[in-house]
Amino acid sequence: MKKILSISLIALGLAAFVGFGAYKIFENASAFEEKANPAKAEKPEDKDSPYATKEEEVREQTGTIGGIEYTLKIPENAEEREIVAIMHKMTHQKVRSQDKWGAIPMMPETVQPVLETIQASSFDHKEELQNIAEKWKKEDFSSIDSDHNYFWTLQGGTVGEAYGIMNKEEEEAFIQNNFKQAE
């Protein structure tokens, strides 16, 4: 009886040892796979984001873009298409969009002359443009992505539709990377 009990204890100990060893092997393999597969990095918050990772999205959204204008240039007797183009560029510091070309700082010194130009105009889309500019004057940017897409549509956009709004930190990084370089 002692012999059977001893053999049973040895077999039980051996089974526990083999089971623990197998567990450690699988645990290490899983950790290795996580390190080797960066695609499992944090996904962007916005489900419409075209980027694989949050890091890639932030880098692309806040990085330097072409077509930067540091000062507002509204031509005398500006046409609607010129104001739409200016307003579209102003949205780029605040929106998430896969492709951005051109930016004009969004600040009271640029919003006010745009609003005054719209108010003095007889544009076909005067009412909507004026509503947007008045909203911006009040620093209401809660629907800036929709504003962007309105301009984008008026301009016949096919690439670069906005799919969200940058947070304050991302917007500040965009400003630093695009507008602060000229100072």
Side-chain angles (χ1 to χ4, degrees):
M1 180 87 164
K2 281 186 176 183
K3 193 174 187 179
I4 293 176
L5 184 61
S6 295
I7 292 174
S8 296
L9 286 175
I10 291 172
L12 186 61
L14 186 58
F17 178 76
V18 168
F20 182 74
Y23 167 78
K24 286 307 236 177
I25 289 170
F26 286 119
E27 181 181 56
N28 286 337
S30 178
F32 176 77
E33 184 180 324
E34 286 175 14
K35 288 179 186 176
N37 190 357
K40 290 187 178 180
E42 184 181 347
K43 297 285 185 196
E45 294 167 13
D46 195 303
K47 65 180 184 250
D48 295 326
S49 173
Y51 301 99
T53 66
K54 177 71 174 164
E55 181 181 283
E56 178 187 2
E57 179 183 44
V58 169
R59 186 177 57 250
E60 288 294 319
Q61 294 304 309
T62 62
T64 304
I65 66 172
I68 299 299
E69 298 173 39
Y70 300 97
T71 58
L72 188 61
K73 299 171 191 151
I74 299 177
E76 194 173 321
N77 300 318
E79 295 180 19
E80 181 177 77
R81 67 177 174 73
E82 294 170 305
I83 295 302
V84 167
I86 288 169
M87 294 176 80
H88 182 182
K89 289 178 183 177
M90 290 169 71
T91 66
H92 284 170
Q93 83 180 48
K94 295 186 176 290
V95 300
R96 295 178 185 279
S97 172
Q98 188 171 9
D99 290 311
K100 298 179 189 178
W101 180 259
I104 296 171
M106 174 77 77
M107 57 189 178
E109 296 83 6
T110 56
V111 172
Q112 187 61 38
V114 167
L115 177 57
E116 290 169 4
T117 302
I118 295 166
Q119 290 170 332
S121 77
S122 58
F123 295 158
D124 290 341
H125 301 96
K126 178 179 180 172
E127 186 177 340
E128 185 63 40
L129 295 173
Q130 187 170 321
N131 289 341
I132 291 170
E134 286 173 349
K135 189 172 49 170
W136 293 357
K137 183 177 179 180
K138 295 175 190 169
E139 297 186 12
D140 176 359
F141 303 109
S142 59
S143 59
I144 194 79
D145 51 344
S146 296
D147 300 340
H148 171 278
N149 291 342
Y150 176 73
F151 307 133
W152 179 79
T153 301
L154 286 178
Q155 293 178 307
T158 57
V159 177
E161 184 174 13
Y163 61 87
I165 302 172
M166 288 192 279
N167 64 37
K168 293 282 185 202
E169 294 80 21
E170 292 165 345
E171 181 181 351
E172 185 55 38
F174 180 91
I175 291 167
Q176 289 293 328
N177 290 331
N178 289 283
F179 301 132
K180 300 290 181 173
Q181 296 174 5
E183 293 178 356

